[in-house]
Amino acid sequence: MRRMRLLLVVGMLSVLFVPASSAEAKPLDGRIVYSDAYGGSGIYSIDPDGSDRIHLVTGSGLHGPKWFPDGSGISFIADVGSHGRRSRLEAIDVDGSNRRVLIGRRDLPEGHRSIGSFSWSPDGTQVVLTLYSDTFEGAIFVSSADGSSITKILGNARSPEWSSQDRIVAEKGRGRLITFDPDGGNVVTIGIHGSDPAWSPDGTRIAFMCGDFAHADVCIVNADGTGLVNLTNSPQVDWSPSWSPDGSRIVWSRSRTYATYGDLRRMRADGSATTRITATRRIDEYEQDWTVLP
């Protein structure tokens, strides 16, 4: 994973999300949210054609933005304290207003202070988290949307992503991709090493970063490990893929090297029709997430 990578918390958790519809979405419908990973200027959103960029939240230590499953708001990780060793899960409305804490530092299990990444269940009532211990050991937990109940389901793993088919993909150990049920059971080893895994909207394919930090590409593979394809195959570094709501496109971040700022690119899910979305010098566009707005 390149960097230490909502439900609007419903009053009593009695209201379930109705996921934003992707069945009628057109290829460039919706909105993309992303973070300024190296620049540290906060969270942004933009149209898939690169227009109408909005600076939603200003501040350093804000990363990993994800839309609520129904598209009604945005959640993200906020690092606080010295060297970002403590963090919490926060949220804002679509326009950047109503900033609030969803899962605070005191909600995290004893010995765990940092949230590395997260992903929402399809109905938005639960969230799967990478939590890092005080000794920086990663494990995967499932939490209620308000952090009132957090359970460890898998050790020595990170970067979980929850699919529409109620399966979770994650990196195990040194980057081996696995899938499993939300209770941590029925673990299936895909047999491929990668980072930043992202499910297609129908839960049948996984896009991920393949290669190492010196040179990485965006690859896709079927959920059973078959059909591996390198989509970008470039001399640069390609990170953090995310699918369009209709599954026909993938947006990702490309940088010259691991240590340089990235810009957003868009392509068809077969790797064709590559388009540069952004060209900024002082914003490191990364960790993007694409949804259809309600």
Side-chain angles (χ1 to χ4, degrees), residues 53-65:
R53 184 177 71 212
I54 298 175
H55 195 170
L56 298 170
V57 187
T58 300
S60 61
L62 309 178
H63 57 102

PDB file of all heavy atoms in Angstrom, residues 53-65:
ATOM      1  N   ARG A  53     -13.513  21.119 -10.006  1.00  0.00           N
ATOM      2  CA  ARG A  53     -12.815  20.658  -8.805  1.00  0.00           C
ATOM      3  C   ARG A  53     -13.231  21.507  -7.612  1.00  0.00           C
ATOM      4  O   ARG A  53     -13.263  22.731  -7.688  1.00  0.00           O
ATOM      5  CB  ARG A  53     -11.305  20.735  -8.998  1.00  0.00           C
ATOM      6  CG  ARG A  53     -10.521  20.173  -7.800  1.00  0.00           C
ATOM      7  CD  ARG A  53      -9.024  20.192  -8.024  1.00  0.00           C
ATOM      8  NE  ARG A  53      -8.492  21.532  -8.004  1.00  0.00           N
ATOM      9  CZ  ARG A  53      -7.444  21.939  -8.729  1.00  0.00           C
ATOM     10  NH1 ARG A  53      -6.860  21.095  -9.559  1.00  0.00           N
ATOM     11  NH2 ARG A  53      -7.002  23.179  -8.646  1.00  0.00           N
ATOM     12  N   ILE A  54     -13.529  20.836  -6.496  1.00  0.00           N
ATOM     13  CA  ILE A  54     -13.930  21.519  -5.271  1.00  0.00           C
ATOM     14  C   ILE A  54     -13.023  21.062  -4.129  1.00  0.00           C
ATOM     15  O   ILE A  54     -12.821  19.862  -3.932  1.00  0.00           O
ATOM     16  CB  ILE A  54     -15.400  21.213  -4.918  1.00  0.00           C
ATOM     17  CG1 ILE A  54     -16.334  21.708  -6.028  1.00  0.00           C
ATOM     18  CG2 ILE A  54     -15.778  21.865  -3.588  1.00  0.00           C
ATOM     19  CD1 ILE A  54     -17.787  21.331  -5.812  1.00  0.00           C
ATOM     20  N   HIS A  55     -12.471  22.032  -3.397  1.00  0.00           N
ATOM     21  CA  HIS A  55     -11.662  21.737  -2.215  1.00  0.00           C
ATOM     22  C   HIS A  55     -12.623  21.599  -1.037  1.00  0.00           C
ATOM     23  O   HIS A  55     -13.121  22.587  -0.509  1.00  0.00           O
ATOM     24  CB  HIS A  55     -10.656  22.861  -1.991  1.00  0.00           C
ATOM     25  CG  HIS A  55      -9.569  22.514  -1.043  1.00  0.00           C
ATOM     26  ND1 HIS A  55      -8.455  23.314  -0.850  1.00  0.00           N
ATOM     27  CD2 HIS A  55      -9.383  21.447  -0.214  1.00  0.00           C
ATOM     28  CE1 HIS A  55      -7.659  22.771   0.040  1.00  0.00           C
ATOM     29  NE2 HIS A  55      -8.205  21.639   0.453  1.00  0.00           N
ATOM     30  N   LEU A  56     -12.871  20.367  -0.606  1.00  0.00           N
ATOM     31  CA  LEU A  56     -13.908  20.096   0.384  1.00  0.00           C
ATOM     32  C   LEU A  56     -13.447  20.312   1.818  1.00  0.00           C
ATOM     33  O   LEU A  56     -14.175  20.864   2.644  1.00  0.00           O
ATOM     34  CB  LEU A  56     -14.407  18.651   0.235  1.00  0.00           C
ATOM     35  CG  LEU A  56     -15.067  18.311  -1.098  1.00  0.00           C
ATOM     36  CD1 LEU A  56     -15.276  16.801  -1.196  1.00  0.00           C
ATOM     37  CD2 LEU A  56     -16.392  19.033  -1.240  1.00  0.00           C
ATOM     38  N   VAL A  57     -12.252  19.820   2.140  1.00  0.00           N
ATOM     39  CA  VAL A  57     -11.724  19.922   3.501  1.00  0.00           C
ATOM     40  C   VAL A  57     -10.254  20.321   3.413  1.00  0.00           C
ATOM     41  O   VAL A  57      -9.489  19.721   2.661  1.00  0.00           O
ATOM     42  CB  VAL A  57     -11.836  18.585   4.272  1.00  0.00           C
ATOM     43  CG1 VAL A  57     -11.425  18.792   5.728  1.00  0.00           C
ATOM     44  CG2 VAL A  57     -13.235  18.025   4.195  1.00  0.00           C
ATOM     45  N   THR A  58      -9.869  21.324   4.183  1.00  0.00           N
ATOM     46  CA  THR A  58      -8.493  21.784   4.207  1.00  0.00           C
ATOM     47  C   THR A  58      -7.777  21.244   5.441  1.00  0.00           C
ATOM     48  O   THR A  58      -8.340  21.239   6.532  1.00  0.00           O
ATOM     49  CB  THR A  58      -8.436  23.323   4.229  1.00  0.00           C
ATOM     50  OG1 THR A  58      -9.089  23.835   3.060  1.00  0.00           O
ATOM     51  CG2 THR A  58      -6.999  23.817   4.250  1.00  0.00           C
ATOM     52  N   GLY A  59      -6.556  20.780   5.239  1.00  0.00           N
ATOM     53  CA  GLY A  59      -5.771  20.307   6.374  1.00  0.00           C
ATOM     54  C   GLY A  59      -4.870  19.157   5.999  1.00  0.00           C
ATOM     55  O   GLY A  59      -5.131  18.430   5.040  1.00  0.00           O
ATOM     56  N   SER A  60      -3.803  18.962   6.748  1.00  0.00           N
ATOM     57  CA  SER A  60      -2.892  17.844   6.522  1.00  0.00           C
ATOM     58  C   SER A  60      -3.369  16.619   7.299  1.00  0.00           C
ATOM     59  O   SER A  60      -4.202  16.720   8.206  1.00  0.00           O
ATOM     60  CB  SER A  60      -1.477  18.229   6.950  1.00  0.00           C
ATOM     61  OG  SER A  60      -1.449  18.537   8.331  1.00  0.00           O
ATOM     62  N   GLY A  61      -2.845  15.468   6.939  1.00  0.00           N
ATOM     63  CA  GLY A  61      -3.191  14.243   7.643  1.00  0.00           C
ATOM     64  C   GLY A  61      -4.567  13.708   7.331  1.00  0.00           C
ATOM     65  O   GLY A  61      -5.092  12.868   8.065  1.00  0.00           O
ATOM     66  N   LEU A  62      -5.167  14.149   6.230  1.00  0.00           N
ATOM     67  CA  LEU A  62      -6.491  13.681   5.821  1.00  0.00           C
ATOM     68  C   LEU A  62      -6.318  12.782   4.600  1.00  0.00           C
ATOM     69  O   LEU A  62      -5.756  13.205   3.587  1.00  0.00           O
ATOM     70  CB  LEU A  62      -7.404  14.858   5.492  1.00  0.00           C
ATOM     71  CG  LEU A  62      -7.497  15.965   6.550  1.00  0.00           C
ATOM     72  CD1 LEU A  62      -8.412  17.090   6.069  1.00  0.00           C
ATOM     73  CD2 LEU A  62      -7.984  15.402   7.878  1.00  0.00           C
ATOM     74  N   HIS A  63      -6.796  11.557   4.650  1.00  0.00           N
ATOM     75  CA  HIS A  63      -6.552  10.641   3.544  1.00  0.00           C
ATOM     76  C   HIS A  63      -7.615   9.536   3.491  1.00  0.00           C
ATOM     77  O   HIS A  63      -8.458   9.415   4.377  1.00  0.00           O
ATOM     78  CB  HIS A  63      -5.154  10.027   3.651  1.00  0.00           C
ATOM     79  CG  HIS A  63      -4.886   9.304   4.942  1.00  0.00           C
ATOM     80  ND1 HIS A  63      -4.926   7.937   5.038  1.00  0.00           N
ATOM     81  CD2 HIS A  63      -4.569   9.738   6.187  1.00  0.00           C
ATOM     82  CE1 HIS A  63      -4.646   7.563   6.273  1.00  0.00           C
ATOM     83  NE2 HIS A  63      -4.418   8.642   6.991  1.00  0.00           N
ATOM     84  N   GLY A  64      -7.547   8.747   2.419  1.00  0.00           N
ATOM     85  CA  GLY A  64      -8.437   7.602   2.247  1.00  0.00           C
ATOM     86  C   GLY A  64      -9.897   7.934   2.085  1.00  0.00           C
ATOM     87  O   GLY A  64     -10.743   7.193   2.597  1.00  0.00           O
ATOM     88  N   PRO A  65     -10.286   9.003   1.372  1.00  0.00           N
ATOM     89  CA  PRO A  65     -11.708   9.354   1.298  1.00  0.00           C
ATOM     90  C   PRO A  65     -12.527   8.298   0.556  1.00  0.00           C
ATOM     91  O   PRO A  65     -12.076   7.740  -0.444  1.00  0.00           O
ATOM     92  CB  PRO A  65     -11.705  10.683   0.540  1.00  0.00           C
ATOM     93  CG  PRO A  65     -10.472  10.622  -0.315  1.00  0.00           C
ATOM     94  CD  PRO A  65      -9.453   9.902   0.528  1.00  0.00           C
TER      95      PRO A  65
END
